[in-house]
Amino acid sequence: MNYKKIMLATLMLGASTLLQAQQTPANKQTKSVLILNATAHIGDGTVIENSAIGFKDGKITLIADAKTIRLAADAYDTTINAGGKHVYPGFIAPNSTLGLVEIDAVKSSDDESEIGSMNPNVRSIIAYTADSKVIETVRPNGILMAQITPRGGIISGSSSIVQLDAWHWQDALVKENDGMHLNFPSTFRRSGWWAEPGAIEANKDYPKQVNDLSSFFTNAKAYLGDTAKERNLVLESTKGLFDGTQTLYIHANEEKQIIDAVQFAKQNGIKKMAIIGGYEAYKAAELLQKNNVGVLLKRVHDMPENDDHDVDLPYKNARLLTEKGVLVGLENSGSHERMNTRNLPFLAGTCAAYGLDKETALQLITSNTAKILGIDEQCGTLTQGKDATLFISEGDALDMRTNKLTNAFIQGRAISLETHQTRLNERYKTKYNQK
C-alpha cells in the first residue's frame, strides 16, 4: 500500500473542503421589513398570536398585535405575510468552537487551543474563520449567533461573541473578549475511556491544583496593583476579571467542584462569573442563586454520568435549576460539537418535554443565554430597539419535525439558508424526480 499517495489524497480532500466556503454574506439592510400575522415567540416567555414585527437599519422598530395597530400603507418597504408561521429571536450557541476548527484531522485548520496551561492572554476571536463551511450548516435551524471559545489548559483564554454571517472576524463581532474561561480542577479522576469506563477515584492533587490556581490570581492582582512594573502580557490580560468588564466562565460539573469554584472566585475578587457544564449544579442551586451565578448546562442529550443518577437527569436538569431560581442556558460542547451545534434548539425541546414550559425552554437558548453572556441589551428577545436578528419557521422551532426556516435575518440583513447539504438534497431530488 502506498501510504504517501493516501496521505496526499487526504490532504487534497481537506484542502478542497476548506476552499468551499459558506454563502456570500448579505448586504447591509437598506429596505425596511414588516412581518405580519405570524405567531411571535418574544423570547422572554410571552407570545403574540397574530403579530406585527417591523425592523429598519438593522434594528427592531415594531413589536405589536397586528389586530390592534394601524399602519400607513407605505410605512415599510417590504411586507412578508407569515400567516400560520412562527417568528423567533435568533438562537445563541455559547461555549462554541465554530470557526476555530474546520477538519479535525487537518492540523492547519485546528486553532481551538494553545500550548501551556495558563493562557489568559489568548484571544479566540483572532483565530475565528468567518467563512467556515460548518457555520452555514447551523443557520438553517435558527442558530444565528455564537460565543467563540478557546479550549485547553487551565485558563484557556478569552471568548468573543459573533453573528454568523460575516466576511471576517471583525465584521462578525458582537462583543469582543466578553469573558475568560477557566477549567477548574476536578475533584475526581476517572480511568478507562468512554467505551470501557474505569473506576472513579478522588483526585489526590486537587488541593495543590487549586492552590496553584490561587497563587496565579494572587500574582495577577499584585501585578495589576503595581504601578512601577515590567510589562507582563499574561498577567495584564486578567484585568477585566477584576474590574468587572469580563465574566469568568468556570467550566465545572461536580458539586464540590462548583461550590469551591464559586468560593474561589469570590475570594479573589471576581465581580462576574458563570458556570459552564454544571451537571451537578442542581445540588448547589441555593449557592448559585444567592450569588447570581448563571449556568450554561452541558449537552442534555447525554447519559447519566454516575450509576446512582436518575436515568433522565440530563434531560430534567434545566427544570431542576430553573425551579430553584437559577438563570439557565444551554451549551452543546463535547463530541462532534461543531457539527452538533445545529441541534441546539432540540436540546431546548427535550428540556420542554421533561418539565419546562415551552416558552421557558425557548429562553434557554435566547434571553437567558444573552443575559449570561452580557448581551441582553442588544439581542435575545424580539424587543423594540434590539438587533433584528430573528427568523421565520413553518412550525415549532424546538421540534426537529417542524423546524423549517423560510426566512432569517441577522441585524436586519436577509441571509442565505442554503448549504452544501441543501444543494445535495435538491440535486438528488431532481435525479429521483422527487418534489
Side-chain angles (χ1 to χ4, degrees):
M1 183 179 293
N2 192 324
Y3 290 101
K4 288 185 178 180
K5 289 184 178 180
I6 294 176
M7 181 61 70
L8 179 62
T10 302
L11 291 174
M12 290 178 64
L13 176 62
S16 65
T17 303
L18 288 171
L19 290 172
Q20 297 178 40
Q22 67 176 40
Q23 298 301 307
T24 302
N27 294 323
K28 185 177 180 180
Q29 182 183 10
T30 57
K31 294 185 178 181
S32 57
V33 177
L34 177 65
I35 303 172
L36 285 176
N37 305 319
T39 298
H41 302 264
I42 305 302
D44 61 2
T46 60
V47 176
I48 302 176
E49 295 292 344
N50 193 351
S51 65
I53 303 171
F55 48 96
K56 181 180 181 180
D57 298 327
K59 298 291 183 180
I60 297 175
T61 55
L62 174 69
I63 293 287
D65 188 327
K67 300 190 297 292
T68 61
I69 63 166
R70 292 185 179 181
L71 291 172
D74 59 350
Y76 288 87
D77 299 320
T78 303
T79 300
I80 299 174
N81 186 348
K85 298 179 181 179
H86 299 255
V87 178
Y88 294 86
F91 298 153
I92 308 167
N95 188 34
S96 170
T97 54
L98 281 173
L100 296 183
V101 183
E102 196 70 8
I103 303 172
D104 291 279
V106 179
K107 187 176 181 180
S108 60
S109 75
D110 187 339
D111 283 320
E112 69 177 354
S113 61
E114 188 56 87
I115 61 173
S117 60
M118 299 293 188
N119 297 312
N121 54 311
V122 167
R123 299 172 60 239
S124 64
I125 189 62
I126 63 172
Y128 175 67
T129 303
D131 61 354
S132 164
K133 191 175 181 182
V134 183
I135 290 174
E136 71 173 13
T137 69
V138 308
R139 298 186 310 199
N141 278 2
I143 296 94
L144 305 182
M145 297 177 64
Q147 179 195 40
I148 307 307
T149 306
R151 298 282 187 257
I154 298 173
I155 299 179
S156 303
S158 64
S159 56
S160 292
I161 300 163
V162 300
Q163 51 83 6
L164 300 180
D165 183 65
W167 287 102
H168 44 69
W169 68 263
Q170 292 95 332
D171 278 350
L173 270 174
V174 172
K175 186 175 182 179
E176 188 172 7
N177 301 331
D178 68 292
M180 197 163 295
H181 292 257
L182 165 63
N183 297 300
F184 203 79
S186 176
T187 60
F188 293 93
R189 285 176 173 167
R190 187 192 298 268
S191 60
W193 60 303
W194 69 265
E196 297 180 9
I200 299 175
E201 59 184 25
N203 176 12
K204 296 179 182 179
D205 297 326
Y206 179 72
K208 181 182 182 302
Q209 291 170 345
V210 174
N211 185 64
D212 290 345
L213 189 58
S214 183
S215 295
F216 178 85
F217 275 78
T218 298
N219 291 337
K221 286 188 290 184
Y223 168 83
L224 294 169
D226 182 5
T227 55
K229 57 184 180 249
E230 183 177 341
R231 191 173 189 190
N232 184 318
L233 290 177
V234 173
L235 298 180
E236 184 179 308
S237 61
T238 64
K239 181 180 178 181
L241 298 177
F242 301 108
D243 64 18
T245 58
Q246 282 187 309
T247 299
L248 179 62
Y249 295 101
I250 306 170
H251 295 243
N253 282 294
E254 304 147 16
E255 178 186 10
K256 177 173 172 53
Q257 185 187 25
I258 292 169
I259 294 172
D260 289 352
V262 172
Q263 297 295 348
F264 170 87
K266 291 177 62 180
Q267 290 167 5
N268 282 279
I270 305 300
K271 298 184 181 298
K272 295 191 295 184
M273 69 185 99
I275 299 294
I276 292 184
Y279 179 74
E280 293 186 338
Y282 68 96
K283 296 181 180 180
E286 184 177 346
L287 175 69
L288 297 172
Q289 192 275 334
K290 181 180 178 181
N291 289 280
N292 194 31
V293 178
V295 176
L296 293 168
L297 273 177
K298 63 177 294 187
R299 186 186 301 171
V300 301
H301 286 177
D302 204 353
M303 298 290 288
E305 291 191 356
N306 296 322
D307 293 341
D308 59 347
H309 288 166
D310 292 346
V311 67
D312 60 352
L313 178 58
Y315 307 147
K316 66 182 181 182
N317 225 336
R319 174 178 63 81
L320 296 176
L321 285 167
T322 299
E323 289 176 346
K324 294 181 179 181
V326 178
L327 184 65
V328 184
L330 298 181
E331 61 101 6
N332 197 39
S333 62
S335 177
H336 306 294
E337 62 181 81
R338 289 168 295 282
M339 282 63 76
N340 278 322
T341 302
R342 71 182 75 184
N343 292 326
L344 184 66
F346 313 137
L347 303 185
T350 296
C351 293
Y354 280 80
L356 279 184
D357 171 78
K358 183 62 72 72
E359 298 305 316
T360 303
L362 174 64
Q363 291 177 256
L364 301 177
I365 54 176
T366 55
S367 59
N368 285 10
T369 297
K371 289 175 183 176
I372 293 172
L373 300 184
I375 55 173
D376 52 305
E377 292 187 0
Q378 185 174 348
C379 55
T381 59
L382 300 176
T383 304
Q384 189 171 332
K386 291 190 179 183
D387 286 354
T389 299
L390 50 91
F391 64 88
I392 304 173
S393 173
E394 291 184 3
D396 181 359
L398 304 190
D399 188 331
M400 66 177 65
R401 298 168 297 182
T402 54
N403 180 324
K404 299 178 181 179
L405 272 62
T406 58
N407 307 80
F409 304 86
I410 292 180
Q411 297 171 340
R413 299 176 290 112
I415 67 169
S416 172
L417 294 174
E418 187 180 26
T419 72
H420 178 65
Q421 294 158 336
T422 61
R423 291 192 293 273
L424 286 176
N425 181 49
E426 291 302 319
R427 176 182 177 184
Y428 286 101
K429 278 167 59 177
T430 301
K431 177 180 179 180
Y432 294 108
N433 297 317
Q434 295 178 356
K435 294 183 179 180

